[in-house]
């Protein structure tokens, strides 16, 4: 429906709608930290681009928050990520490793249902024509435009820009393997604490795909504020407060610094976030801990 509106009006309507949804989900997950949700810089860059990052971020945070309470709702949220499947690439492993089969089934049915609805609405020709966009995406990546690569938040993009295709592919493989290991072993690491595992998987999601932009990162709110809650409950570790301040601002600040520096450091920040969440494992969960 936004397509029939003038661009400025459609832009404002889309951002207002998706930012409102993202804030609602974020505040449900972290009601005591609501000012940090409203002010999260990672949401500002998504709003500025009028991209889908606020919507996909809301879906991922909703899935993480609801998995232990309403697994079918969590599965529906994950299935809706069929609009950007590289953001849900860890979800099947995450859910299967934890035996969350109701969520797993709901995700699959939702994804299939949305694809069927699109086919029935727009027809076979439109569905087949979608493959034409793959060539455009491939050309963008193969062109090796520094401005384009510096807007990406992946190890693949930065290594390809600096060291060439071979090193970039190896770095992307290592990054994806690390993310997959988190999804597969997180349940054991955190003794089945659903919120902790969700924080680890969402943090690892930023490392899982070679194709990711800064405006896709609002979902990092969940692992960042999960760490804040853990610090408030159990005490902050040395330098953790400083690290969390940096990670809170990282999606916006590192994107702003990328072009002047000639390097986007967001993959490094994502790796630090994964490590901080992972290193909180192996402890007795607090009685007040969700999940």
């Amino acid at each position: 429906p936004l397509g029939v509106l003038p661009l400025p009006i459609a832009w404002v309507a889309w951002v207002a709608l998706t930012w409102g949804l993202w804030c609602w989900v974020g505040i449900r997950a972290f009601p005591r930290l609501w000012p940090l949700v409203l002010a999260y810089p990672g949401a500002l860059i998504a709003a500025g681009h009028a991209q889908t990052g606020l919507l996909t971020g809301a879906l991922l945070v909703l899935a993480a928050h609801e998995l232990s309470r309403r697994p079918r709702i969590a599965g529906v949220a994950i299935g809706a990520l069929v609009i950007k499947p590289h953001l849900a690439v860890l979800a099947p492993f995450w859910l299967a490793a934890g035996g969350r089969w109701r969520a797993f089934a709901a995700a699959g049915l939702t994804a299939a249902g949305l694809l069927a609805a699109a086919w029935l609405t727009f027809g076979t020709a439109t569905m087949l024509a979608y493959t034409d966009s793959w060539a455009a995406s491939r050309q963008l990546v193969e062109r090796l435009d520094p401005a384009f690569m510096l807007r990406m938040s992946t190890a693949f993009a930065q290594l390809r820009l600096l060291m060439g295709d071979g090193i970039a592919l190896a770095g992307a493989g290592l990054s994806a393997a690390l993310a997959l290991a988190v999804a597969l072993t997180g349940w054991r690491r955190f003794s089945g604490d659903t919120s902790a595992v969700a924080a680890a998987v969402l943090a690892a999601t930023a490392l899982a795909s070679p194709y990711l932009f800064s405006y896709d990162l609002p979902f990092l709110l969940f692992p960042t504020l999960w760490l804040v809650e853990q610090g408030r409950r159990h005490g902050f570790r040395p330098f953790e407060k400083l690290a969390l301040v940096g990670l809170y601002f990282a999606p916006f600040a590192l994107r702003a610094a990328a072009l002047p520096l000639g390097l986007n450091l967001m993959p490094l920040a994502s790796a630090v976030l994964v490590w901080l969440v992972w290193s909180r494992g192996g402890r007795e969960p607090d009685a007040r801990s969700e999940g």
Side-chain angles (χ1 to χ4, degrees):
L2 297 175
V4 303
L5 297 175
L7 178 60
I9 297 175
W11 182 301
V12 172
W14 172 252
V15 170
L17 176 65
T18 55
W19 186 78
L21 177 64
W22 178 84
C23 285
W24 176 74
V25 172
I27 291 171
R28 276 177 58 86
F30 302 101
R32 295 182 180 180
L33 301 177
W34 65 266
L36 295 179
V37 175
L38 296 180
Y40 186 53
L44 297 180
I45 194 166
H49 284 78
Q51 255 281 353
T52 58
L54 291 169
L55 174 58
T56 55
L59 291 171
L60 281 167
V61 174
L62 179 64
H65 179 61
E66 296 292 348
L67 184 57
S68 64
R69 300 165 179 80
R70 302 176 184 87
R72 292 184 180 87
I73 296 296
V76 168
I78 291 170
L81 287 168
V82 70
I83 62 173
K84 276 203 169 181
H86 59 292
L87 295 177
V89 68
L90 295 181
F93 306 99
W94 168 28
L95 299 178
R100 295 326 199 244
W101 300 115
R102 284 181 292 174
F104 191 102
L109 290 172
T110 300
L114 288 173
L115 288 172
W119 173 55
L120 290 173
T121 302
F122 299 108
T124 302
T126 297
M127 297 295 286
L128 293 176
Y130 176 62
T131 60
D132 295 340
S133 69
W134 300 349
S137 298
R138 184 176 66 248
Q139 289 173 6
L140 284 172
V141 174
E142 290 178 347
R143 191 169 58 188
L144 198 58
D145 178 7
F148 180 79
M149 290 294 177
L150 290 172
R151 286 174 169 83
M152 296 181 71
S153 300
T154 67
F156 170 79
Q158 305 313 305
L159 291 172
R160 186 165 184 263
L161 189 61
L162 297 174
M163 301 182 182
D165 291 353
I167 299 296
L169 288 171
L174 180 61
S175 181
L178 171 64
L180 180 59
V182 169
L184 291 174
T185 63
W187 294 102
R188 185 172 66 238
R189 173 68 175 176
F190 294 101
S191 303
D193 184 333
T194 306
S195 292
V197 180
V201 171
L202 263 62
T205 295
L207 300 176
S209 172
Y211 192 87
L212 191 74
F213 288 86
S214 298
Y215 54 65
D216 289 320
L217 298 177
F219 65 85
L220 291 180
L221 174 83
F222 191 91
T224 303
L225 295 193
W226 181 85
L227 282 166
V228 173
E229 282 199 335
Q230 294 302 300
R232 294 178 66 187
R233 291 174 179 174
H234 306 293
F236 289 96
R237 295 167 292 179
F239 304 106
E240 191 171 25
K241 288 183 179 180
L242 180 61
L244 286 174
V245 170
L247 291 170
Y248 181 79
F249 287 99
F252 188 93
L254 295 180
R255 167 63 185 84
L259 290 175
L261 289 177
L263 181 66
N264 191 327
L265 294 173
M266 192 60 214
L268 179 60
S270 298
V272 171
L273 181 59
V274 170
W275 178 79
L276 284 175
V277 174
W278 193 256
S279 61
R280 280 278 178 182
R283 304 180 178 194
E284 288 294 322
D286 189 277
R288 295 168 293 172
S289 180
E290 297 174 347

